Amino acid sequence: MEETPPPLQAGSKPHLEKLTLGVTRILESSPGVTEVSIIEKLPAERHMISSWEQKNNCVMPEDVRNFYLMTNGFHMTWSVKLDDHIIPLGSMVINGISKLTQLIQSSVYSLPNAPTLADLEDDTQEGNEDHQLEKPHFDCRSAIFELDSCNGNGKVCLVYKNGKPGLAHDTEIWFLDRALYWHFLTDTFTAYYRLLITHLGLPQWQYAFTSYGISPQAKQWFSMYKPITYNTSLLTEESDNFVNKLDPSKVFKSKNKILIPKKKGPVPPASGQKGPGPLPPPTSKPSMGSGNPVRK
């Protein structure tokens, strides 16, 4: 049984620094980040690639082939230290050739009529209106291979759009969420690999490319460790969803009632002065001819 080599520190070897596009230095300089490590994998041999192509009746795309000739899979992790606890957070995974298997649902019960993924197949194109792309099919119309299980949050898949035999130029990268809806990611494996690295392997980062976005918990991690190429405006929620905008005129409306005076006799005069009757008219000013006015 082949043993997994121990994880290496990210900056321990120059070729690993090139493989990660230098993102290790960014992580190691981020506050609270610790234990940035990569599991080093030997390059795949050419006969392994040829064997995979013959077994699956698919031609491996050139960029995928070059990747496996450099490293037979990829696994990089990093953690954060909160108080005295170390929490595993980032995870970047690309399966090796032996785990680049076709997406097939095994039956929970060994019954002849057990449901499969193909039973969910329909002709709707939900979730892909923005891209105007035909979604992958669970049946023979597409050949789907799993690149990353996303820690149980979905699956990133290499999809041959026209089934088998699969041609190299006929591939795309798609994300299958937990509800079994498809979401387009990139046209090529190289573009997807850059997305994987630049999103730092944050939890559920693939959901940023769905119509419903990432979860509130993942959004908190995104706010702390922003991806390198991420639209930060997507991290902000609509203020109406979280902020109660109080209108004092409506909230305290019951306290602004008009007071009706109780009947306690005649209403006092508008002048507000106490007394039995109206005031006498003011005295006329002394005429100018009588001299200066008297000062009291």
Side-chain angles (χ1 to χ4, degrees):
M1 184 175 179
E2 184 179 357
E3 296 182 357
T4 303
L8 301 176
Q9 294 300 319
S12 60
K13 291 191 176 182
H15 71 278
L16 294 179
E17 188 75 7
K18 295 180 180 179
L19 183 64
T20 59
L21 305 179
V23 75
T24 54
R25 288 179 279 109
I26 297 176
L27 286 172
E28 291 171 344
S29 62
S30 300
V33 173
T34 183
E35 296 184 358
V36 181
S37 62
I38 303 174
I39 297 178
E40 186 178 17
K41 298 177 182 292
L42 297 175
E45 299 180 4
R46 293 186 179 273
H47 73 84
M48 299 173 64
I49 298 176
S50 300
S51 176
W52 183 91
E53 292 178 332
Q54 294 175 4
K55 176 182 177 181
N56 295 286
N57 195 18
C58 294
V59 179
M60 188 174 288
E62 184 178 359
D63 54 356
V64 180
R65 178 192 297 267
N66 293 335
F67 172 80
Y68 283 122
L69 290 175
M70 182 170 56
T71 174
N72 190 5
F74 178 68
H75 190 191
M76 176 178 177
T77 59
W78 55 278
S79 306
V80 294
K81 187 175 183 180
L82 298 178
D83 296 332
D84 295 331
H85 303 282
I86 296 179
I87 302 175
L89 186 61
S91 178
M92 307 174 220
V93 176
I94 294 177
N95 289 335
I97 291 182
S98 61
K99 294 184 179 180
L100 188 64
T101 56
Q102 192 164 358
L103 186 65
I104 299 176
Q105 182 185 27
S106 60
S107 300
V108 179
Y109 304 103
S110 299
L111 297 176
N113 296 325
T116 63
L117 285 175
D119 296 325
L120 303 175
E121 191 60 46
D122 55 31
D123 294 329
T124 60
Q125 297 294 328
E126 295 183 27
N128 300 315
E129 293 83 356
D130 296 338
H131 299 284
Q132 297 297 323
L133 295 175
E134 183 181 3
K135 70 172 185 177
H137 299 279
F138 292 118
D139 54 21
C140 61
R141 287 176 287 177
S142 301
I144 306 169
F145 299 90
E146 182 180 331
L147 287 171
D148 181 11
S149 60
C150 305
N151 291 326
N153 293 315
K155 294 181 183 296
V156 174
C157 299
L158 173 68
V159 177
Y160 289 81
K161 295 181 293 183
N162 294 322
K164 297 181 180 181
L167 302 179
H169 64 272
D170 197 31
T171 58
E172 292 173 344
I173 308 297
W174 287 73
F175 174 62
L176 180 66
D177 65 19
R178 288 176 57 88
L180 301 181
Y181 284 100
W182 287 105
H183 308 275
F184 175 78
L185 292 179
T186 62
D187 291 319
T188 64
F189 173 80
T190 300
Y192 168 73
Y193 182 77
R194 290 172 179 170
L195 283 181
L196 174 66
I197 295 297
T198 55
H199 280 81
L200 308 178
L202 286 165
Q204 305 175 19
W205 70 265
Q206 296 88 354
Y207 282 87
F209 295 86
T210 66
S211 58
Y212 31 84
I214 58 179
S215 67
Q217 181 180 4
K219 196 165 293 187
Q220 294 179 357
W221 292 118
F222 271 58
S223 299
M224 294 178 61
Y225 304 100
K226 292 183 177 61
I228 300 173
T229 57
Y230 188 74
N231 186 1
T232 54
S233 63
L234 296 178
L235 294 176
T236 60
E237 294 284 357
E238 295 293 335
S239 58
D240 294 339
N241 294 337
F242 294 92
V243 180
N244 287 328
K245 296 183 178 180
L246 299 179
D247 188 350
S249 63
K250 295 181 179 179
V251 175
F252 302 105
K253 187 175 182 179
S254 60
K255 296 184 179 181
N256 293 334
K257 294 182 178 179
I258 300 175
L259 298 178
I260 301 176
K262 298 181 179 180
K263 294 181 180 181
K264 292 183 180 181
V267 180
S271 60
Q273 294 218 6
K274 297 180 181 180
L279 295 175
T283 56
S284 60
K285 294 183 181 180
S287 62
M288 298 298 293
S290 62
N292 296 329
V294 180
R295 299 181 180 178
K296 295 182 180 182

